[in-house]
Amino acid sequence: MHVVATAGHVDHGKSTLVRALTGMEPDRLEEERRRGLTIELGYAWTALPSGDRVAFVDVPGHERFLGTMLAGVGPVPAVMFVVAADEGWMPQSEEHLVALRTLGVRHGLLVVTRADLADPGPAAKDAGDRLTEAGLRTGPSGGAVETLAVSGRTGEGLDALRAALDRLVAALPAPDPEAPVRLWIDRAFSVRGSGTVVTGTLPAGRVEAGDELELDGERVRVRGLESLKERAESVTGVARVALNLRGRVAADRGHALVTPGAWTATGLADVRVTMAEGARGPLPGRLTAHIGSASVPCEVRPLGAEAARLRLARPLPLHLGDVLLLRDPGRGQGELRVLARATVLDVRPPELRRRGAARERARALAEASADAASLLRTHLLLREGDLVAMGCPPPGRPVTADWHADPGHWTGLLARLPEVVRRYAEAHPLEPAMPLEAARHELGLPDRRLVTALVRPPLTVADGRITTGRTAAGTAGLPAPVARAVRTLLDGLAETPFQAPEAGRLAELGLGPRELAAAVRAGALLRVADGVVLAPGADARAAAVLARLPQPFTVSQARSALGTSRRVAVPLLEHLDRRGFTERVDDVHRRSV
C-alpha cells in the first residue's frame, strides 16, 4: 500500500478529485458536506492500474485549518498538490507549499483541476515552476514535477492521473519494515464492545495483533488491526491502519504509539533552525511545533544564529534528525505563519547554568550532526539503550558492558586515573589502595564498571580497590611509624607464633584499628578476628602442627599444641575451617583436611 496526501488552496477541488478517483466520500462530517468545505481529515483509497493500492489523506485548504492540514501531511511521504485552472496560484497554495518544503516532503504530483472551466496551461506553468523550485519531484531522477490537467466533474484526465500516481508511488523510497514503530494518531474513537480504536499513517516498521506498544509512557496492547477496513494480523509501513487497543486508553490526535524503548519522550530539544522561504527572524518566544499529527505549543530559546532550544508543552517521542515545523498561529491574515524548520540535534540537552553556557552550546550545535558521535561529544558517556532510544546506532564497540564513550573523553580519563590514585595514596597513607567508588566519584563516572575498565598496569584492582601494583607484601608500603611497630610485633611473635598480643600491647605499639587494617591490607599481618593478629603464614604453620595431633582433636588439645590461649585458639580454628585446613566433625571435635 501507498499513502498520498492532498494539498492546495481551499475550494480548488481536492475532495472532489479524491471522490472521483476512489468513488468514496472523503468528507466525513455532515457540516462538511453541507458547506462543501473540508474541515477535518478525510480518508479514501483505490486500486491503481498496476494493482497497487493507494490511500489518500484529504486535508483542509482553508487557512483556519492549517494545523489540521499539517496533521494529515506530517506522516505521509508524498503529496498530490491541487491548483484550480480558473483561479491559479492562491495564498493557501503558497502556505501549503512552504509547509511541505519545510517538512521535507519531496515527492508529489501537480494536478490542475477544473480543466473544463478554463485553460489549464497558465496555472500549470506557474504552479509547476513553483513546485519544481521548491524541490518537489515525481520520479527518482529529479527534474520538473509531473503535471496533469483534470476535471473531477467530467472525468477528463483521470485515467492519466491514475497512471501518474502509479509512477509516483513506484519511485517512493521503500520504508524499513524492521524500523521502530511510531504511529501518529490522527483519529481516536470508541467502538461498543471493542473499546478504543485509533487510526494513523504507519510510515515504517511493522505492527502485529498482540504487539505491546507505548502511549505516553503507558504500555498498551494491540487487540486487533485493520488496514483500509480489512482485518489483518500484520501490517508494514507505509500503510493506513486502525488499531483496536486493549484496556482503558486515553488517546487523542497528536499522540503516538511507539515501540517500547526505541524512542526518547522529551519535552526539551536542541535544534538547528532553518527559516522557511519568505520568513524573517528572529523567531518569537512562543510558537507551535508540528511533527506527525502532533501540534504542541513550545517556548523558543535562541542559542545562536541557527540554533535554538525548544521547551515543549508536553513530551513527544523523538529521534535525532526528526524535523519539526515551527508555526506562529497568532499571525494575521495574509502573513506567513510557517516560520521555520527545526532539525532535532539532541533530545537530552545539557543544562545551561553557567554564564556563557548558551554561547558554548551554540558553537557545539553549529558543528553537530544527527549521529551518535555528535551525541557522545556532548554527553561523553551513554548507554547503548539510550543511543537506540535517541535514534542513533551505537558507534563501534562499548568501552565496557553497554557503555559507549566519546574517544577523546575516554583517553582523558585513562590519563587522569593514575594521578587520582596517586593523590589518594598520599592523602590516605594507612589505606593507599583507592576504593573503586571513591575513584568513580572523583572522575564523575555514572558506573563503577567504567572505573574498572580504565585500570591499566601498573594499576590493578583487588577486593574493590585500585592499587599501584608496585608494593610487595610486607611493611614497605606502610608509613614509617606503623612499619616500625609491625616489625616490633613480628619480632615478638617469632618465639611464640600463636600468642597474639593483647589489646594493651597493640595500643602500646601504636597499632590501633586503622593501623592494623593498613598492615593487613599490605600483607604484613594476618587478621584471624577483630583484635587478633598473627604473622603472615601463621595459619598454614598452625595447620601443620594440628595435622600431627591424633585425629579428631578438641579445642583444648589444639590450644595446648599451639601453645596459645583460648582467646586465640577459637578464632584461629574458625579461620582454619574457612580456609579449608580443618573441618568440624561434631560440636566438640575437628580434624585436619
Side-chain angles (χ1 to χ4, degrees), residues 12 20 57 80 99 249-250 291 359 366 401 436 443 476 541 586:
H12 275 203
V57 179
M80 185 167 66
V249 180
I291 182 172
R359 288 193 299 273
L436 285 171
L443 295 174
R541 294 174 62 186
D586 52 37

Side-chain angles (χ1 to χ4, degrees), residues 10-11 14-16 19 26-27 32-33 35-42 58-62 65 68:
V10 63
D11 199 30
K14 295 185 295 297
S15 299
T16 300
R19 193 179 303 116
D27 287 338
E32 292 179 306
R33 293 191 291 271
R35 297 172 59 185
L37 175 68
T38 299
I39 299 171
E40 263 293 350
L41 299 177
D58 188 33
V59 306
H62 197 282
F65 306 121
T68 303

Side-chain angles (χ1 to χ4, degrees), residues 206-226:
R206 183 190 310 273
V207 178
E208 298 182 353
D211 277 355
E212 192 174 63
L213 300 174
E214 276 189 357
L215 176 65
D216 295 336
E218 298 291 332
R219 296 293 179 99
V220 297
R221 192 168 296 279
V222 179
R223 174 186 287 175
L225 66 153
E226 291 184 355

